[in-house]
Amino acid sequence: MHDYVGGMNAPASPAQQPATTPSQRQRKPDWIRVKAPTSPGYAETRKLMRELNLHTVCEEAACPNIGECWTKKHATVMILGDTCTRACAFCNVKTGMPRPVDLLEPEHTAIAAAKMGLSHIVITSVDRDDLPDGGASQFVKVINALRRETPQTTIEILTPDFRNKPESAVAAIVDARPDVYNHNLETVPRLYPTIRPGARYYASLRLLESVKRRDPSIFTKSGIMLGLGEERMEVHQVMDDMRSADIDFMTMGQYLQPTPKHAKVIDFVTPQAFDAYAQIARAKGFLQVASSPLTRSSYHAGDDFEQMRAAREVQLARVKAD
Ligand code: SF4
């Protein structure tokens, strides 16, 4: 799974039932606590998703922001089913053999976006290592359906790494021209073997670099979780790596342990430390940076997209003037 959410006392999937009780879980600092979702907007979004047989990463990954986002009718649709072929140590999405691809999913996603009146939509997916193209063609179909049904909606995709899949898989998605292509590095390279064992840090970086090379007009975006035991200098190195791959937008948020079977939180990074990281990232040249304990890839994604677009215009105007 590719949005580093989790932590809202998630109902564990059967394969991930807790071995300890909730009282044994780590106590969260005050700046992490969020209210339980109860608003009418939340109920409406939930109903619509059920009616259209759509999954959201908001629910599957137990995102702590679900109350706020769904009240504002902002949800991140998770395509290609609810079962992932990988088993990352931080992710709450269930692992197993996925069901066949839902052929109605592209149309249903577009209907949901139109009904919710979304100006910006984020589409993500589980990993589908079982499919020859890793599910890339479904991303293309979803993008095309959205362009048809709701052409004013800007589209952000958050994809798997398409590791061991033909290069044409990613190329086809890029050629469908999403507005933002996001793929999360998730953590520093040293922690990959334990946190993201099925992936390779440099392969993920190369994927983002290849997107930018194929279509420089597409914004690229990536993020990491903090609190998994990474060192400050390692985070700075990730920023440099991202910039060398010409990534436009970096996100940083606190890792929260979804269930006791997942990787432990090593430390809760303070809001001040998140601000300090944001300052450093901006100095390194990202067009946009989001960094706070509750930042997630898709949190406030629409507003951030607008700001990023404006920042690029300023940058282009400066280049012209020189
Ligand atoms: S931050 Fe993203 S994943 Fe979390 S509730 Fe909001 S839209 Fe969903």
Side-chain angles (χ1 to χ4, degrees), residues 3 5 57-58 63 65-66 69-70 74-76 296 298-299:
D3 204 347
V5 293
V57 73
C58 321
C63 182
N65 300 324
I66 195 165
C69 290
W70 284 29
H74 170 59
T76 296
R296 302 298 182 257
S298 47
Y299 191 46

Side-chain angles (χ1 to χ4, degrees), residues 20-230:
T20 52
T21 64
S23 62
Q24 288 169 276
R25 292 182 193 167
Q26 284 159 294
R27 196 177 153 76
K28 295 185 189 114
D30 289 345
W31 63 75
I32 292 288
R33 306 237 175 88
V34 285
K35 287 199 192 112
T38 51
S39 72
Y42 171 82
E44 274 169 42
T45 306
R46 193 178 152 91
K47 186 165 165 272
L48 181 64
M49 294 299 158
R50 295 289 180 282
E51 279 169 8
L52 293 170
N53 196 27
L54 293 174
H55 302 284
T56 64
V57 73
C58 321
E59 286 187 290
E60 304 297 333
C63 182
N65 300 324
I66 195 165
E68 179 190 334
C69 290
W70 284 29
T71 299
K72 294 180 184 162
K73 300 215 171 156
H74 170 59
T76 296
V77 177
M78 190 173 84
I79 61 171
L80 292 161
D82 64 353
T83 308
C84 188
T85 49
R86 305 236 182 122
C88 296
F90 61 88
C91 185
N92 194 51
V93 174
K94 74 178 169 210
T95 299
M97 191 55 202
R99 283 195 288 258
V101 174
D102 175 4
L103 301 178
L104 295 175
E105 197 172 55
E107 205 49 39
H108 283 173
T109 305
I111 292 170
K115 281 199 171 165
M116 289 167 80
L118 299 183
S119 55
H120 186 82
I121 187 169
V122 183
I123 307 291
T124 190
S125 80
V126 288
D127 269 295
R128 291 296 302 256
D129 293 320
D130 57 312
L131 300 174
D133 71 348
S137 55
Q138 189 77 342
F139 271 97
V140 172
K141 285 178 192 153
V142 170
I143 293 169
N144 291 340
L146 283 164
R147 293 284 186 228
R148 220 171 28 241
E149 294 279 340
T150 172
Q152 74 289 353
T153 305
T154 48
I155 302 171
E156 174 165 337
I157 52 162
L158 171 58
T159 75
D161 59 9
F162 298 109
R163 190 167 167 238
N164 300 326
K165 300 299 175 196
E167 279 178 21
S168 56
V170 176
I173 299 179
V174 175
D175 292 349
R177 307 212 58 226
D179 297 277
V180 182
Y181 194 116
N182 186 358
H183 170 63
N184 283 329
L185 294 185
E186 312 286 7
T187 187
V188 300
R190 178 176 56 86
L191 297 178
Y192 264 55
T194 47
I195 300 300
R196 207 181 167 214
R200 300 292 175 268
Y201 179 79
Y202 287 102
S204 284
L205 262 181
R206 272 199 302 275
L207 182 154
L208 287 155
E209 199 173 23
S210 74
V211 170
K212 192 53 122 183
R213 211 178 306 125
R214 192 167 178 91
D215 187 343
S217 72
I218 295 176
F219 290 100
T220 48
K221 176 171 172 181
S222 188
I224 57 169
M225 303 169 280
L226 301 182
L228 281 162
E230 67 288 334

Side-chain angles (χ1 to χ4, degrees), residues 246-309:
D246 216 359
I247 292 167
D248 297 301
F249 185 174
M250 179 180 193
T251 58
M252 287 169 273
Q254 171 70 50
Y255 166 68
L256 297 173
Q257 185 185 27
T259 77
K261 283 192 117 181
H262 290 85
K264 277 201 165 38
V265 174
I266 303 300
D267 57 344
F268 286 103
V269 178
T270 63
Q272 294 75 16
F274 273 103
D275 287 346
Y277 277 130
Q279 249 181 339
I280 290 164
R282 283 195 196 97
K284 287 181 187 287
F286 290 96
L287 275 181
Q288 180 72 357
V289 178
S291 174
S292 76
L294 289 176
T295 291
R296 302 298 182 257
S297 301
S298 47
Y299 191 46
H300 299 166
D303 294 343
D304 284 340
F305 171 70
E306 288 306 331
Q307 285 177 23
M308 179 163 59
R309 194 150 61 172

Side-chain angles (χ1 to χ4, degrees), residues 9-23:
N9 295 336
S13 59
Q16 297 167 330
Q17 287 299 324
T20 52
T21 64
S23 62

